[in-house]
Amino acid sequence: MDFLLSWWRLLSLWCLTGFLFFHGYCYSQQVPNYTFVHEARGAPPVSYYDYIIIGGGTAGCPLAATLSRNFDVLLIERGGSPYGDPNITNLASFGDSLADTSPTSASQRFISEDGVINARARVLGGGSCLNAGFYTRASPKYVADAGWDGALVNASYEWVERAVAFEPRMRQWQSAVRDGLVEAGVMPNNGFTYDHVYGTKVGGSIFDRNGHRHTAADLLRYADPKRLTVLLHATLHQILFTTNKGKPRPKANGVVFQDSTGVTHRAYLKSGPENEIILSAGALGSPQILMLNGIGPAQHLRSLGIHVLVHQPMVGQGMSDNPMNAIYVPSPLPVEVSLVQVVGITHFGSFIEAASGSNFITAGTGSTRKDFGMFSPQTGQLSIVPPKQRTPEAIARAVEMMRRLDDAAFRGGFLLEKIIGPLSTGHLELRNRDPSENPSVTFNYFAEPDDVRRCVEGIRTIERVIESRAFSRFRFPFISIGELKNMTVNFPVNLRPRHGNDSTSLEQYCKDTVMTIWHYHGGCQVGRVVDKEYRVIGVDRLRVVDGSTFNYSPGTNPQATVMMLGRYQIV
């Protein structure tokens, strides 16, 4: 019991955000020979294309690959390449990119006005380079409600899956979670499937069986290399518009971007009638770019000195982030390193998932390093320590204390729940006119009572899984559910205040321990900012194709549907 108390005191100082954090394995990677990928500093001062895509993320990469089969395409990405970066490519290093707050990190941290720490991607491949890898399709109802063609949607999913989706290898801890879910009443057991079906299932993963991550950037293998140009470290500074006599609607005709040295380049659309600029910069980036270019709420834009091109009050509205809440369960046995592999899809509106870590001790001959990855003092985050006390000496002392912990303190896993939807929504606003900085975003977690209700039911289901016979080997019998919740409540996973009744009121527990699961969406929604063809309302030759167009997050994880959408919108 002493090592658990020591572990718990230290973790309450070290943890910051997210839910997993691994070190240990190293996998080799073969970098694809993408002859069309270049640094933006080598781009010509002026160039011309049929399509210009802004954002090489989860939707932008499949868009570019598909369009290039018939058109000349430019894809500009503000980040670098994911290939060769072990923090991205190795499952065991999942948390390291999220913990990296350097200016060149693939992950750009932001903190919502709700006090929840989050991240946005800054790398070719987008969020698929940072996430926990779970791959699952949207439900047939979601597809029907979106007005999509079901057969074409399925064909587009299959196109994606041939390149990036795999059946995970199920080991003991994840198998215990699966069986515990069934025992807790989340039935039936549907086995392995990409489909969204009620009950418990094993989903796909973009990590292959060697623990190597495959991202949306891998979909560029479908591209015509002679007709696609991908520019890295290219930051958009302006979308260019023209207005013709007798046609008052502004028409997009080019972009201005800067390379890593600050040199400005221009790219223009060719004269073809169908040629377009497509925003695929994500749920934060796309509404931010529209506002910076004069498309948004007029009063807000004028307050920042931005010329109003089109008064569009719904840009930045409808922002949502699916709240995640979890219970950490220390294990008396070693458990495998695993990200999300199993999901319980309930009828009451919550998804139950899990992730685990074996001993968080760096592998390798002679290595004595022990840490909780992104929860660790080595990241320099120590979120509850005042800034002036976050000295190298303080971090070194914490590292040394951690090194002395018993190995058993580094075992365990999280059982977590994410509510469907959610119903609660917020908004996004610009802080300034700098395109490289984060906008201000408010998600209003649990503003709607029904979201709270579904979270409570999700936590109760997690409790039943923890107490199930199937999961019994992986919990200490002398630690009660209440003590597990008390332990988890004290993790500084967000910047929100805590309350004395957190362990007795599940409603308060949900509100105080909320984290992100990185499934935020909205800001450019269909019928509000874009039409059913994803064209921006009020201007010509400009579309948005990414998660900012969603009213609700699709499936149990949106990445499969975002990649599908990039393919679907073109074919």
Side-chain angles (χ1 to χ4, degrees), residues 503-517:
S503 61
T504 56
S505 167
L506 289 182
E507 289 82 2
Q508 198 65 54
Y509 182 92
C510 287
K511 294 175 182 178
D512 288 0
T513 66
V514 62
M515 295 177 278
T516 185
I517 198 167

Side-chain angles (χ1 to χ4, degrees), residues 47-65:
S47 53
Y48 297 86
Y49 299 89
D50 297 318
Y51 285 88
I52 298 171
I53 301 171
I54 302 166
T58 315
C61 286
L63 264 170

Side-chain angles (χ1 to χ4, degrees), residues 84-315:
D85 184 343
N87 287 351
I88 292 173
T89 57
N90 298 338
L91 181 150
S93 301
F94 162 73
D96 291 354
S97 285
L98 293 170
D100 181 3
T101 58
S102 69
T104 59
S105 172
S107 171
Q108 182 176 359
R109 171 163 299 164
F110 71 95
I111 301 175
S112 73
E113 301 305 310
D114 316 273
V116 173
I117 304 161
N118 212 317
R120 60 191 293 207
R122 185 169 47 193
V123 62
L124 187 68
S128 66
C129 298
L130 304 178
N131 64 25
F134 198 54
Y135 182 97
T136 180
R137 298 181 178 188
S139 68
K141 183 180 185 305
Y142 190 99
V143 171
D145 289 347
W148 297 335
D149 179 287
L152 186 55
V153 163
N154 287 338
S156 298
Y157 276 128
E158 291 168 3
W159 180 87
V160 171
E161 288 154 11
R162 286 194 293 271
V164 303
F166 305 88
E167 180 178 354
R169 179 183 289 115
M170 291 290 293
R171 293 185 171 140
Q172 291 184 333
W173 195 86
Q174 286 281 345
S175 297
V177 172
R178 177 199 60 204
D179 296 343
L181 278 165
V182 174
E183 191 176 329
V186 187
M187 298 184 291
N189 182 351
N190 294 298
F192 167 72
T193 179
Y194 294 140
D195 292 335
H196 187 94
V197 287
Y198 285 111
T200 296
K201 74 164 193 170
V202 176
S205 176
I206 62 171
F207 288 98
D208 63 27
R209 291 203 163 196
N210 291 320
H212 169 71
R213 182 193 293 269
H214 295 258
T215 76
D218 291 13
L219 298 173
L220 294 174
R221 76 183 198 185
Y222 291 124
D224 182 340
K226 296 179 181 179
R227 306 201 71 175
L228 175 61
T229 299
V230 177
L231 297 179
L232 303 178
H233 299 113
T235 302
L236 179 80
H237 275 253
Q238 187 180 1
I239 299 176
L240 301 172
F241 293 90
T242 59
T243 303
N244 298 326
K245 282 186 177 181
K247 293 184 178 180
R249 287 167 60 97
K251 180 169 66 174
N253 75 328
V255 298
V256 179
F257 62 92
Q258 286 187 354
D259 63 29
S260 58
T261 65
V263 174
T264 296
H265 306 257
R266 289 174 179 253
Y268 292 97
L269 292 176
K270 295 179 182 179
S271 59
E274 301 299 321
N275 296 353
E276 289 180 317
I277 294 172
I278 304 175
L279 280 180
S280 293
L284 263 64
S286 289
Q288 178 185 27
I289 288 170
L290 288 179
M291 289 185 188
L292 288 171
N293 285 276
I295 303 172
Q299 184 176 357
H300 175 53
L301 300 185
R302 291 192 184 107
S303 72
L304 293 168
I306 297 172
H307 169 71
V308 178
L309 185 72
V310 176
H311 172 52
Q312 226 309 0
M314 301 313 295
V315 174

Side-chain angles (χ1 to χ4, degrees), residues 219-481:
L219 298 173
L220 294 174
R221 76 183 198 185
Y222 291 124
D224 182 340
K226 296 179 181 179
R227 306 201 71 175
L228 175 61
T229 299
V230 177
L231 297 179
L232 303 178
H233 299 113
T235 302
L236 179 80
H237 275 253
Q238 187 180 1
I239 299 176
L240 301 172
F241 293 90
T242 59
T243 303
N244 298 326
K245 282 186 177 181
K247 293 184 178 180
R249 287 167 60 97
K251 180 169 66 174
N253 75 328
V255 298
V256 179
F257 62 92
Q258 286 187 354
D259 63 29
S260 58
T261 65
V263 174
T264 296
H265 306 257
R266 289 174 179 253
Y268 292 97
L269 292 176
K270 295 179 182 179
S271 59
E274 301 299 321
N275 296 353
E276 289 180 317
I277 294 172
I278 304 175
L279 280 180
S280 293
L284 263 64
S286 289
Q288 178 185 27
I289 288 170
L290 288 179
M291 289 185 188
L292 288 171
N293 285 276
I295 303 172
Q299 184 176 357
H300 175 53
L301 300 185
R302 291 192 184 107
S303 72
L304 293 168
I306 297 172
H307 169 71
V308 178
L309 185 72
V310 176
H311 172 52
Q312 226 309 0
M314 301 313 295
V315 174
Q317 299 300 307
M319 297 296 301
S320 295
D321 185 29
N322 297 80
M324 179 181 79
N325 294 84
I327 297 178
Y328 185 80
V329 185
S331 171
L333 300 175
V335 296
E336 72 265 17
V337 172
S338 71
L339 298 179
V340 177
Q341 296 179 345
V342 173
V343 61
I345 300 175
T346 71
H347 287 278
F348 59 77
S350 178
F351 304 132
I352 315 298
E353 303 173 356
S356 65
S358 61
N359 296 335
F360 298 94
I361 302 173
T362 300
T365 305
S367 173
T368 58
R369 179 179 174 183
K370 302 178 182 179
D371 63 41
F372 291 99
M374 66 183 296
F375 284 145
S376 299
Q378 290 97 319
T379 66
Q381 291 160 2
L382 291 165
S383 63
I384 63 172
V385 178
K388 291 183 179 179
Q389 298 178 28
R390 297 177 200 172
T391 64
E393 293 78 15
I395 294 172
R397 287 193 297 270
V399 170
E400 177 59 21
M401 290 174 64
M402 181 181 287
R403 189 186 66 79
R404 295 178 182 178
L405 280 178
D406 188 283
D407 289 357
F410 294 84
R411 293 197 293 253
F414 284 87
L415 277 77
L416 58 99
E417 68 87 35
K418 160 196 166 180
I419 65 169
I420 295 171
L423 298 178
S424 304
T425 64
H427 63 279
L428 177 149
E429 295 179 333
L430 299 177
R431 296 183 189 276
N432 51 47
R433 295 167 62 174
D434 187 341
S436 65
E437 291 194 12
N438 292 316
S440 167
V441 60
T442 303
F443 293 119
N444 288 325
Y445 297 101
F446 297 119
E448 293 291 332
D450 200 47
D451 287 345
V452 180
R453 178 192 62 78
R454 291 184 292 179
C455 176
V456 168
E457 288 299 315
I459 296 297
R460 286 174 177 157
T461 304
I462 288 173
E463 292 175 350
R464 293 198 296 272
V465 174
I466 294 172
E467 293 179 325
S468 69
R469 183 178 64 257
F471 194 74
S472 60
R473 291 195 305 141
F474 296 106
R475 64 166 297 198
F476 289 94
F478 53 84
I479 304 179
S480 69
I481 293 290

